Each structure stands twice: as structure tokens, then as C-alpha cells.
Amino acid sequence: MKNLIWLCFVLVLSNDAFSQGLLDTSTGGNWTTHFQLTVINQSHSGFRSLYSGKNSLADSVETGATSVTSTLFLGRRLWKGADAYLDPEMSGGKGLSSALGVAGALNGETYRIGDPQPVVTIARAYLQQVIRLGNDTSYEDQDDVTNQVAGRVPTNRLVITVGKFSIADFFDRNRYSHDPRSQFMNWSLMSNGAWDYPANTRGYTFGGVIEWIKPAWAIRFSSVAVAKVANHSDMEYDLGKANSETVEFEKKISINKRPGLIRLLYSFSASRAPSYAQGIQAIKRGDTALLNVISGNGEATTFGGTKTGLFLNLEQEMTNDLGIFARAGWNDGKHVSWAFTEIDQTIHAGLSLKGTKWNRADDVVGIAGVVNAISADHRAFLKAGGYGFIIGDGALNYGHEAIAEAYYNVKLLANFWATFDYQFVNNPGYNKDRGPVHVFAVRGHVEF
């Protein structure tokens, strides 16, 4: 199957027929090719712990948790307004305590690792068509960047994307906090932690996205597949019973003539996820089959799980070097977390500062704080001894999970960056009986 996917895309991307009068003759080449390699090594201190469960962060000193991802980003202009993209990706390694024990998990790259051994997969394979809308004939330039062919696009346009991708490629983006390969590493800072966005264990899904983009605002809608088992690689294709829809409104703003953006996102997902109330009853009667479904170790036989959420995303340039950002998110928290992480409410804010004032214009300092929470049903389930797919200490003395993160990203060579990162975690896994934890990381990143 992998070989068939490769063959189909190679044929599409290389077919000379597309270059015979069908290619867009606007500014820019017909290909885009980029590469990235990211290695992250983390450790954490020992900490106070009254007890531990099977999903707990280890309370002793832990070192040497290393993740590796490498991606080749390929894109080809097919005809006017149409592009095809293919991203082979290698990922391997592990997170601290196998990325368990903290809802705001500590390494955003471990989200893309399904196996400690390096594995090559097709991360993205999709087609994209741009359609000019209205009578406005104005255009804007589009640079050659990752998964974007250089050229000119209408300022008033419809963009249709179909295939395999990460839903986070299109939604909840933020200039200052979205990429764990160069910015904040914590899961609940790189994205809105309360958005249980549809994905397999590596962060990708199948489906379609439609975007209406204008100079001052944009609207996006997606309908994509959800996982068949919580946080697993197999996706659900009974779309009449399991699916996820997302809508986002984006508006450009300005403060002191400095650009900013505000995004409001709504999501709804239907899946096989049981409710936390069902989970509590399963604990009482010893129903290990249902408890395995909730912890991501079993497949449910029935549908009916839903999750609805609302999310806010802000970014604002303050000076040429300083930017600030914030997110807030809420989901109903009735049915179990299914794809991203176990957060039902979240709020975070931070800043990003370039090193111009100390003659290091390509360096970046980032500082942010996040507070995560869970619903009453979710708390009761964990307190009763339940386990999700990422947290569960066997008991719970509930408190908000609070995390602070700071990093310094230094450009050492033309295509190489090194980052030194620190995270402080209070009440890991929402448990006041454990922590606090000090987490240290070094990251190396190559891109061109």
C-alpha cells in the first residue's frame, strides 16, 4: 500500500503532460522542496509523589528521553491554481515516561511518534486547488515555503484541500506559538490544549478543508476522519457515525498600526468514545473491556461519543522584535478524550522576542504560561482510579495543572538552530499529591 501511494504521487508530480500548457505561468517555479530534521533530548528532576499509577510521570530523576523527526516536503504545481504535496516523514524515539503523566505533555514532537524505533511514513499527501472569487483581479505574492509553491494568488479566493494532512496545518495557527520544532515544546502551548483535534497517533488525518480567504478575514471549514481507537493510528471510515467538523473565523486586527490576528474556532466530533459516566460505572463493575477502550487499549463496538468545543486564539506584533499571543479553550468534557490530550479547559499567554538588541537578530526568546483544567465528570473518573490514554495516577487530589515554559533558540549556522528549554509543571496530571517538576531540554533543528 505504501509503495502504491508513492507511485501514484510520483507519477502525478513528475508527469510532463502537466507542463504542456497547463502550468500556471505566474511568478515562481513549479516545484517546492524543503527538508527538516529535529532532535530533542529531555530530562526531569525527581519530585514529591504520594503515589503513582500506570500513567504517572516517573517521580525519580529521568534523563535521555530523545525524539527524532525528519521530513521531506515536496510540492508540484499541476495546472493554474492547483498543487500536489507529498511529505515522507521519519520519526522515532520516546518522550519522558513514554509521554505519560502530564496533560500538557512536554515534547510536541513525541506526538508524531507511534513507535520508539524510527519508522518512515507518508505524513501528508494532498491536492490543493485555488479558485478566484468575484470580479476583483488583484493578486498577492506567495513565497516558496514548506508545502507552498511560489507564485501569485488572488486576494479573494477559495482554497480547496483534499487528502491526508494535519488539521493543525490549517486551524489554530499562531505566528508565535505553533511549531515545537522551533518554538514552545509543550503540547498545550503549541496548540489549544482543549481542542481534541481529530488525528491518528502521529497527528494526521484524512478529509477535506475549504477556505474562503480575503485581505481582511478568512473562514475555514473542514470535515475529516477520527481515530477508531483512542490516540491510535487506525482511522474510522464509517463517516455517517464518526467524523469531525471544524469551523474557524480569522480577522486581521491592528494595534498602533502593528498587525495582529484573532481567530475563533468551533469544533464538533462524533466517535466511539464512551462517556466518563460510563467509565465510572465500568470501574464499579470491573468492566475491563470498556476501561481498555477509554485508555486507548481496546476498540469500542458502539458509537455515540461526541465532543463540542469553542476556542479563541490571539496574536499581536508589538514592535519589530516583540510579539505576544494568547489562547483560551473549552470543550464539554462529557465523553473521553480521543485524539490529542486530556484537557477540557485551558488558557495561556506568552511573548516572543527576537535578539536584535543583543546583535542576534535571528535568535528568539520565548516565555509563556498555561493553566489546564478538566470537567467534573473527568475528575470523578480519575479520582475513582480510571485511566485515560495519557494521564491517570490511580487516585486524584484535584488541582489545576499549571505550566511555565521558557526557551532560547539560537541560530548557529545558516540552516542549523539549537534551543535550550525549561518547563516548570505544578500539579502534573491535575494531581496536588504529585510534583512540582522541573523539565530541561536541548533541541537541534536543521531546515532548508
Side-chain angles (χ1 to χ4, degrees), residues 108-391:
E109 282 295 87
T110 59
Y111 189 46
R112 307 198 184 283
I113 295 172
D115 191 319
Q117 298 301 316
V119 175
V120 177
T121 61
I122 301 299
R124 299 174 183 85
Y126 62 87
L127 300 175
Q128 191 169 78
Q129 176 71 56
V130 177
I131 302 171
R132 182 171 66 87
L133 296 177
N135 297 320
D136 188 352
T137 58
S138 60
Y139 284 76
E140 61 186 11
D141 290 330
Q142 183 170 267
D143 295 332
D144 177 2
V145 296
T146 297
N147 289 331
Q148 181 174 283
V149 179
R152 301 176 68 222
V153 293
T155 56
N156 182 13
R157 61 190 181 272
L158 193 70
V159 183
I160 302 172
T161 304
V162 178
K164 183 182 182 183
F165 46 76
S166 170
I167 198 74
D169 295 340
F170 304 92
F171 296 86
D172 192 43
R173 292 178 294 184
N174 193 292
R175 174 181 174 185
Y176 303 111
S177 182
H178 196 52
D179 185 0
R181 293 167 176 166
S182 61
Q183 299 172 326
F184 295 95
M185 298 183 190
N186 192 275
W187 289 19
S188 54
L189 287 172
M190 72 179 192
S191 295
N192 196 309
W195 182 28
D196 194 25
Y197 70 80
N200 61 18
T201 191
R202 298 180 187 276
Y204 302 104
T205 185
F206 295 86
V209 179
I210 298 176
E211 304 173 85
W212 182 10
I213 301 174
K214 291 178 68 71
W217 54 265
I219 296 175
R220 298 178 180 88
F221 170 81
S222 70
S223 183
V224 298
V226 300
K228 182 178 291 187
V229 177
N231 195 239
H232 268 237
S233 57
D234 293 338
M235 303 303 286
E236 184 71 72
Y237 296 108
D238 190 343
L239 299 181
K241 297 179 180 178
N243 53 77
S244 181
E245 282 68 52
T246 305
V247 179
E248 182 181 70
F249 176 72
E250 173 186 289
K251 179 72 171 67
K252 291 183 179 179
I253 58 176
S254 178
I255 296 178
N256 294 328
K257 298 182 180 180
R258 296 282 180 175
L261 285 169
I262 181 170
R263 299 176 175 92
L264 182 63
L265 186 150
Y266 167 84
S267 72
F268 172 82
S269 295
S271 68
R272 302 187 188 217
S275 69
Y276 287 112
Q278 289 174 310
I280 293 171
Q281 293 303 313
I283 292 172
K284 292 178 179 179
R285 65 176 183 268
D287 186 348
T288 57
L290 184 57
L291 294 176
N292 284 337
V293 170
I294 296 172
S295 64
N297 295 304
E299 181 179 320
T301 58
T302 60
F303 295 87
T306 62
K307 193 176 289 288
T308 301
L310 286 171
F311 315 96
L312 181 67
N313 180 332
L314 302 168
E315 64 178 71
Q316 178 62 52
E317 180 183 287
M318 304 304 292
T319 70
N320 290 340
D321 298 324
L322 177 65
I324 60 174
F325 64 93
R327 288 185 178 95
W330 166 92
N331 70 62
D332 54 35
K334 295 179 180 178
H335 290 84
V336 304
S337 299
W338 204 244
F340 186 38
T341 189
E342 297 188 55
I343 299 173
D344 300 324
Q345 299 99 38
T346 189
I347 185 167
H348 74 237
L351 60 85
S352 176
L353 177 66
K354 294 180 181 178
T356 305
K357 290 190 179 297
W358 55 94
N359 299 317
R360 298 287 305 177
D362 293 321
D363 294 1
V364 178
V365 174
I367 302 173
V370 57
V371 178
N372 300 320
I374 52 177
S375 67
D377 287 353
H378 199 161
R379 296 177 212 172
F381 174 72
L382 294 176
K383 188 172 184 177
Y387 292 93
F389 63 78
I390 193 169
I391 61 172

